[in-house]
């Protein structure tokens, strides 16, 4: 009997010990969104939430305001502090059976910065990055970076490791460049603390950022949503990773150059051709622009030149290079941004013939030499030898299989809304900025429904009404088209423009900021500035022009068409006072487009014509993945958005 009582006592002791230690629910916690250095939204009610033992009364104090709530049976609690004016720094105090205190809390404006890789692109990889980072001492800008996480069902939580950070050269390097430049403009113009919440993931489509409830309204997605219970995201991710890894390994295993030792200058190359560098794979007339291509160049050096210290420079290479001089590997890098420069040790160069061989490996998008001719040289002690121009080229991976389709679940409908947007709700915000659309290019026409649906979806879930939502129209990309034709990227841009029908939206045009061989253009400063112009004009009601010339209507004048524009400011301009405008195409009833002559008729009108179209019916402007250099601006040097005056069926419709 005594043993039985002792046994019961030790069982109770074990339970009490567990409750006193980590297995007991925390008595009081805050959601991970709340930390030192945070910005809370001014002039709106402020939700604060977390967890506590059921029935616990939780009191929150901030700047002489107090609110209380009781934790429910699920341990969650939420209080709502009244709206307050900008200010700080304050202490946020949370009291229950214990006390939590957050320091350096400010009241200002909070913006969500979301989308795919062009929004995710970090400051350290933009143009003039080192100087931008050095100057990024902005104590009134605060940064919060949402980690990548995908969920099969809506999640409420974020990792405990996340926290707000004060903007500084140490904290800004890996933060969204577009988000930072947008926030910097606002902070300097408004003198208000700015909180930036970066929630983005490269290579993702709009459906991944939309809730299951909203996607269920679209017949094309109902079957996928209905099948969610049978889907294993971890297994999908594993399968996708294995397929990608296998394909990447095949790039090396199938490379004829490695098999036949092409890095040896004494090996003769069969089936080679002559090309002019720098150039990207897509313009070298090769059958497969992913994989490995080898390049060879020879040059002669005198005895004096061969005995000097030397450095070889090749500019930017996308995305991996192995550079050999006279058969010796002198350097290798991975990444699209670094300039390739490699020291050459004494004894590597020869008097007479020298052979430079570069193996370039690309796993997607554009690849190849992306620098300038001036960046390609062999630097000796007193001079530089030009390495641009003609090189011998040989394809290493002739039979490389097609890359596996992106089936990673971060592109699966709803997964990123569940994992990276839902955990932010109901944090009070001023608005959102968005840069995405590249991954929806093959379904560009459907984007005109899916993108507005996502905006509506976020607004419904946040419950703050029609908060401001500003987005970037896709920049120019890929090689210029020789003649007018169809373009999926132009169709995405049109779908993006259609979203402007939604109240409290705005669009930053980037058609003049792109790079033909780089899907991630480096001029993120201007992208952020143009987004900020939209916010300053439409949200903060500054008397400024925030958008470029906007097509309004068309008038038929015999063999010409007159186009009328709004948002011209003091009048439309050509970028460099050119007599004619570029990027215009015109068509008649046969729907065959020809490059057109386009001239400014007045401050707000343009006349368009072509000798090949006697009775014109439609005009298209900048209707291409990359329409090349354009020159239609308004008086504040904002570019016109691409447009078309016809309603003819397009390629993705």
């Amino acid at each position: 009997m005594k043993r039985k009582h002792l046994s019961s006592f030790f069982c109770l002791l074990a339970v009490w010990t567990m409750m006193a230690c980590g297995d007991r629910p925390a008595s009081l916690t805050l959601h991970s969104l709340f930390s030192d250095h945070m910005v809370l939204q001014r002039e709106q009610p402020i939700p604060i939430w977390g967890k506590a033992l059921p029935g616990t009364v939780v009191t929150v104090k901030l700047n002489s305001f107090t609110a209380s709530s009781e934790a429910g049976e699920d341990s969650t609690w939420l209080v709502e502090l009244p709206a307050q004016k900008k200010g700080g720094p304050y202490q946020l105090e949370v009291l229950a059976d214990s006390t939590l205190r957050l320091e350096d809390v400010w009241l200002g404006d909070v913006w969500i910065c979301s989308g795919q890789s062009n929004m995710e692109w970090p400051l350290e990889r933009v143009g003039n990055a080192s100087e931008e980072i050095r100057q990024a001492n902005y104590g009134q800008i605060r940064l919060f970076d949402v980690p990548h996480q995908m969920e099969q069902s809506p999640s409420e939580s974020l990792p405990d490791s996340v926290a707000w950070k004060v903007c500084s050269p140490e904290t800004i390097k890996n933060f969204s460049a577009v988000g930072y430049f947008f926030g910097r403009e606002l902070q300097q113009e408004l003198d208000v603390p700015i909180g930036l919440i970066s929630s983005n993931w490269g290579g993702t489509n709009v459906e991944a950022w939309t809730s299951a409830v909203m996607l269920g309204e679209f017949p094309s997605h109902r079957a996928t949503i209905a099948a969610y219970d049978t889907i294993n995201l971890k297994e999908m991710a594993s399968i996708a990773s294995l397929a990608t890894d296998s394909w990447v390994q095949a790039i090396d295993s199938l490379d004829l150059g490695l098999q036949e030792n092409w890095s040896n200058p004494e090996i003769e190359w069969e089936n080679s051709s002559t090309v002019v560098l720098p150039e990207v794979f897509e313009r070298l007339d090769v059958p497969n622009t992913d994989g490995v291509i080898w390049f060879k160049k020879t040059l002669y050096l005198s005895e004096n030149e061969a005995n000097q210290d030397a450095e070889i420079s090749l500019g930017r290479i996308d995305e991996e290079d192995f550079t050999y001089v006279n058969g010796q590997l002198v350097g290798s890098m991975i990444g699209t941004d670094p300039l390739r420069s490699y020291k050459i040790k004494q004894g590597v160069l020869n008097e007479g013939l020298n052979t430079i061989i570069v193996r370039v490996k690309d796993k997607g998008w554009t690849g190849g030499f992306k620098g300038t001719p001036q960046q390609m040289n062999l630097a000796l002690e007193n001079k530089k030898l030009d390495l641009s121009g003609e090189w011998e080229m040989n394809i290493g991976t002739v039979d490389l299989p097609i890359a596996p389709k992106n089936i990673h679940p971060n592109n699966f409908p709803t997964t990123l809304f569940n994992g990276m947007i839902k955990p932010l709700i109901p944090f009070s915000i001023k608005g959102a900025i968005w840069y995405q659309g590249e991954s929806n290019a093959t379904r560009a026409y459907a984007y005109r429904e899916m993108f507005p649906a996502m905006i509506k979806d976020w607004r419904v879930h946040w419950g703050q009404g029609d908060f401001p939502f500003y987005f970037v129209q896709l920049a120019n990309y890929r090689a210029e088209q020789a003649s007018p034709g169809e373009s999926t990227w132009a169709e995405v841009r049109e779908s993006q423009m259609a979203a402007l029908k939604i109240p409290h939206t705005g669009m930053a045009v980037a058609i003049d900021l792109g790079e033909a061989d780089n899907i991630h253009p480096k001029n993120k400063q201007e992208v952020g500035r143009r987004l900020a112009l939209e916010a300053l004009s439409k949200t903060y009601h500054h008397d400024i022009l925030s958008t470029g010339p906007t097509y309004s209507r068309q008038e038929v004048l015999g063999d010409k068409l007159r186009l009328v524009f709004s948002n011209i400011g003091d009048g439309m301009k050509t970028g460099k006072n050119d007599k004619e405008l570029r990027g215009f195409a015109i068509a008649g009833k046969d729907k065959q487009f020809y490059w057109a002559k386009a001239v400014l008729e007045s401050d707000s009108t343009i006349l368009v014509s072509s000798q090949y179209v006697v009775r014109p019916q439609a005009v298209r402007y900048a209707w291409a993945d990359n329409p090349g250099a354009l020159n239609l601006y308004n008086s504040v040097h904002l570019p016109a958005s691409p447009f078309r005056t016809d309603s003819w069926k397009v390629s993705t419709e």
Side-chain angles (χ1 to χ4, degrees):
M1 193 71 173
K2 186 176 181 180
R3 275 195 291 265
K4 183 176 181 181
H5 285 306
L6 284 173
S7 176
S8 298
F9 170 79
F10 284 118
C11 286
L12 286 171
L13 180 61
V15 171
W16 292 334
T17 302
M18 289 172 61
M19 292 179 65
C21 299
D23 289 342
R24 182 189 180 194
S27 58
L28 179 64
T29 62
L30 275 165
H31 189 278
S32 299
L33 262 171
F34 301 94
S35 74
D36 295 338
H37 314 303
M38 69 186 303
V39 176
L40 296 172
Q41 181 58 46
R42 62 173 173 152
E43 300 173 357
Q44 293 182 24
I46 305 170
I48 309 286
W49 69 96
K51 289 188 176 183
L53 293 175
T56 301
V57 175
V58 180
T59 299
V60 179
K61 297 180 179 180
L62 176 70
N63 187 27
S64 76
F65 292 91
T66 302
S68 298
S69 178
E70 182 176 307
E73 293 183 0
D74 61 352
S75 298
T76 63
W77 58 267
L78 182 149
V79 304
E80 188 171 87
L81 292 167
Q84 304 174 42
K85 294 182 179 180
K86 75 169 185 177
Y90 300 120
Q91 182 187 80
L92 179 74
E93 195 172 32
V94 185
L95 304 95
D97 52 358
S98 60
T99 300
L100 302 175
R101 291 185 179 88
L102 302 182
E103 305 293 342
D104 192 33
V105 175
W106 293 78
L107 289 161
D109 287 345
V110 179
W111 289 85
I112 304 293
C113 312
S114 191
Q116 58 181 109
S117 57
N118 268 306
M119 181 63 81
E120 187 175 24
W121 210 244
L123 187 65
E124 66 179 359
R125 300 182 71 178
V126 305
N128 198 31
S130 59
E131 184 64 16
E132 294 287 8
I133 292 170
R134 187 184 67 81
Q135 295 180 358
N137 282 299
Y138 292 95
Q140 292 286 281
I141 298 177
R142 305 301 171 90
L143 315 171
F144 188 93
D145 217 339
V146 178
H148 289 173
Q149 57 180 35
M150 53 192 177
E151 298 290 343
Q152 201 153 334
S153 58
S155 173
E156 305 291 340
S157 62
L158 293 171
D160 293 336
S161 58
V162 298
W164 287 84
K165 298 176 181 178
V166 181
C167 179
S168 71
E170 292 70 37
T171 60
I172 196 61
K173 293 180 182 179
N174 295 310
F175 195 79
S176 163
V178 170
Y180 165 68
F181 291 127
F182 168 80
R184 185 179 70 178
E185 291 286 332
L186 294 189
Q187 203 285 315
Q188 292 178 332
E189 285 291 326
L190 303 170
D191 190 26
V192 170
I194 298 293
L196 302 171
I197 299 177
S198 177
S199 182
N200 36 64
W201 196 329
T204 54
N205 57 42
V206 72
E207 291 87 351
W209 297 96
T210 309
S211 77
V213 173
M214 177 58 72
L215 288 180
E217 296 183 8
F218 293 87
S220 58
H221 291 291
R222 285 175 189 161
T224 302
I225 300 303
Y228 249 39
D229 291 342
T230 65
I231 294 170
N232 186 320
L233 289 182
K234 290 184 178 179
E235 184 178 352
M236 282 183 65
S238 177
I239 292 172
S241 179
L242 287 172
T244 301
D245 289 347
S246 177
W247 181 78
V248 170
Q249 290 171 11
I251 294 178
D252 290 332
S253 63
L254 297 176
D255 181 10
L256 294 174
L258 290 180
Q259 296 171 23
E260 299 175 5
N261 195 25
W262 288 354
S263 62
N264 184 342
E266 297 182 2
I267 301 294
E268 292 291 332
W269 288 6
E270 297 181 4
N271 304 315
S272 64
S273 59
T274 300
V275 296
V276 176
L277 298 182
E279 192 55 275
V280 293
F281 289 179
E282 283 72 10
R283 298 178 188 170
L284 295 178
D285 193 27
V286 294
N288 190 344
T289 56
D290 295 332
V292 174
I293 299 181
W294 293 70
F295 301 88
K296 180 192 295 184
K297 190 177 188 70
T298 57
L299 70 160
Y300 288 84
L301 299 177
S302 68
E303 179 181 4
N304 179 52
E305 290 171 334
N307 290 324
Q308 295 180 19
D309 292 331
E311 183 174 8
I312 185 171
S313 297
L314 299 169
R316 287 197 303 129
I317 295 179
D318 188 345
E319 62 191 287
E320 183 173 1
D321 76 290
F322 298 83
T323 299
Y324 302 85
V325 176
N326 295 329
Q328 295 191 38
L329 181 67
V330 297
S332 176
M333 287 188 191
I334 300 176
T336 62
D337 294 323
L339 293 174
R340 271 54 174 188
S341 291
Y342 305 122
K343 299 286 187 182
I344 300 176
K345 295 179 181 179
Q346 287 278 347
V348 173
L349 296 176
N350 301 322
E351 178 187 358
L353 180 66
N354 290 264
T355 304
I356 300 169
I357 294 174
V358 184
R359 177 181 185 256
V360 180
K361 180 164 67 173
D362 179 55
K363 299 191 292 289
W365 301 102
T366 54
F369 290 77
K370 292 186 172 181
T372 64
Q374 294 74 21
Q375 292 171 334
M376 299 185 68
N377 60 76
L378 179 67
L380 303 174
E381 291 177 359
N382 298 313
K383 64 179 177 180
K384 291 182 178 180
L385 303 180
D386 184 14
L387 297 182
S388 66
E390 291 188 352
W391 286 64
E392 188 178 355
M393 178 186 78
N394 214 6
I395 302 173
T397 49
V398 176
D399 298 318
L400 183 69
I402 296 174
K405 185 179 180 182
N406 182 5
I407 56 172
H408 195 282
N410 71 347
N411 238 335
F412 205 70
T414 81
T415 53
L416 300 187
F417 173 86
N418 293 338
M420 298 179 68
I421 297 299
K422 185 62 170 66
L424 308 179
I425 301 170
F427 197 85
S428 187
I429 62 172
K430 187 69 174 180
I433 58 173
W434 175 260
Y435 195 160
Q436 188 275 337
E438 298 92 337
S439 290
N440 281 86
T442 58
R443 293 170 288 115
Y445 195 80
Y447 195 76
R448 68 183 55 208
E449 290 186 339
M450 295 309 308
F451 181 38
M454 191 210 76
I455 298 173
K456 175 184 176 182
D457 188 40
W458 286 20
R459 287 173 169 176
V460 168
H461 277 87
W462 245 285
Q464 286 189 201
D466 292 341
F467 60 75
F469 194 104
Y470 303 122
F471 52 91
V472 182
Q473 190 183 53
L474 293 188
N476 45 313
Y477 175 58
R478 298 194 177 105
E480 295 179 36
Q481 294 176 201
S483 57
E486 297 298 326
S487 163
T488 58
W489 276 48
E491 293 170 34
V492 172
R493 296 183 191 112
E494 183 178 68
S495 292
Q496 291 173 318
M497 183 179 287
L500 294 173
K501 297 175 184 177
I502 305 171
H504 307 296
T505 57
M507 183 177 74
V509 176
I511 195 63
D512 59 334
L513 301 178
E515 300 171 25
D517 55 4
N518 189 1
I519 198 171
H520 304 118
K522 290 192 170 186
N523 187 358
K524 296 294 191 283
Q525 291 91 332
E526 183 64 8
V527 175
R529 189 187 78 89
R530 291 178 186 178
L531 283 169
L533 288 177
E534 288 290 276
L536 290 169
S537 173
K538 297 175 181 177
T539 298
Y540 299 102
H541 309 296
H542 286 205
D543 185 17
I544 58 173
L545 186 58
S546 62
T547 190
T550 305
Y551 166 72
S552 296
R553 69 180 188 276
Q554 169 181 288
E555 299 171 358
V556 179
L557 302 175
D559 62 349
K560 297 181 178 64
L561 293 178
R562 173 184 288 146
L563 307 179
V564 183
F565 292 79
S566 60
N567 296 317
I568 62 170
D570 293 332
M572 293 188 294
K573 311 287 184 183
T574 56
K576 296 180 180 179
N577 295 318
D578 299 324
K579 292 183 178 180
E580 292 189 11
L581 295 161
R582 294 187 287 270
F584 285 86
I586 195 169
K589 187 177 181 180
D590 61 358
K591 303 180 183 180
Q592 179 64 49
F593 280 91
Y594 298 88
W595 294 127
K597 178 180 180 181
V599 295
L600 290 174
E601 180 191 35
S602 71
D603 286 345
S604 61
T605 60
I606 293 173
L607 290 179
V608 186
S609 62
S610 169
Q611 61 178 323
Y612 303 109
V613 182
V614 179
R615 295 181 178 85
Q617 290 195 357
V619 167
R620 291 182 177 181
Y621 171 68
W623 196 263
D625 293 1
N626 181 6
L630 302 171
N631 59 349
L632 177 56
Y633 292 84
N634 60 16
S635 60
V636 295
H637 202 70
L638 290 174
S641 170
F643 66 89
R644 61 180 176 135
T645 68
D646 64 272
S647 57
W648 298 331
K649 188 173 182 178
V650 291
S651 66
T652 61
E653 189 173 350

